Amino acid sequence: MDKVIFLDRDGVINIEKDYLYKIEDFEFIDGVFSSLQDLQKRGFKFVIITNQSGIGRGYYTLEQYNILTSWMKEQFQQQGIDIVEVYCCPHSPDESCECRKPNIGMIEQASKILNIDYPNSWLIGDKSSDIQTAINANIQNTIQVRSGHQFDESKSKANYIVDSIKDIVNIIKE
Ligand SMILES: [Zn+2]
């Protein structure tokens, strides 16, 4: 079975900027490559799940998003990191789709190409909606990072709260 780490993108992998779509504005968060290299050696697979309502709202196009995504995947590849798939929800909240987190559509899509080992899989996010996605999809291991949007730690439903993706290697043991 596949031990999967589901990663939100903005605020987890790269510095959160509103409606980011340009390569020159994309800044990897410190430690992302070393963390994922370490976890890949330990047998984890990576899937990125990202809400991109900027597409539905007309701030940027799916094509512009795809260009950034190809570039990002290439940066991971150059570091020896294989991202199995990057799923995005392009819809705006009022479209009531099944893929916008906290709905689980993107995890359901991943379950078609991976044999997800749910008890040993993880979700890493910066927003409560990310953590809620994991709960809705029956992924019990969750980490909320402080590197993205601010959140009320006393109300967090995550199992762990850490500063950034740099710290997840110390939490994910097996
Ligand atoms: Zn959607």
Side-chain angles (χ1 to χ4, degrees), residues 27-157:
E27 286 181 65
F28 283 100
I29 285 174
D30 185 44
V32 58
F33 297 129
S34 58
S35 271
L36 298 194
Q37 283 162 350
D38 183 315
L39 291 161
Q40 185 168 268
K41 277 184 207 148
R42 294 198 251 152
F44 286 96
K45 295 189 172 176
F46 309 114
V47 171
I48 296 172
I49 53 174
T50 178
N51 283 352
Q52 294 294 329
S53 68
I55 299 168
R57 295 176 208 259
Y59 297 157
Y60 48 93
T61 65
L62 183 60
E63 200 179 357
Q64 288 171 317
Y65 163 81
N66 286 335
I67 289 167
L68 177 62
T69 301
S70 304
W71 174 85
M72 178 185 72
K73 287 176 84 173
E74 212 176 283
Q75 307 310 301
F76 279 115
Q77 267 161 22
Q78 285 175 11
Q79 300 290 330
I81 297 159
D82 181 36
I83 304 292
V84 175
E85 191 57 87
V86 183
Y87 294 107
C88 99
C89 165
H91 307 109
S92 64
D94 56 14
E95 289 177 79
S96 306
C97 63
E98 292 299 313
C99 42
R100 184 173 167 81
K101 294 177 285 184
N103 294 324
I104 63 167
M106 292 189 277
I107 292 177
E108 283 180 336
Q109 280 180 272
S111 74
K112 288 173 189 162
I113 59 164
L114 291 166
N115 187 12
I116 303 170
D117 176 357
Y118 284 89
N120 292 305
S121 290
W122 291 73
L123 185 142
I124 322 298
D126 67 320
K127 286 184 169 179
S128 58
S129 56
D130 293 313
I131 305 307
Q132 191 60 47
T133 307
I135 293 166
N136 293 345
N138 250 325
I139 293 168
Q140 286 160 26
N141 307 306
T142 52
I143 303 175
Q144 195 162 3
V145 291
R146 300 187 182 102
S147 52
H149 285 94
Q150 290 202 328
F151 62 94
D152 183 344
E153 296 193 12
S154 66
K155 290 189 182 140
S156 173
K157 291 183 184 171

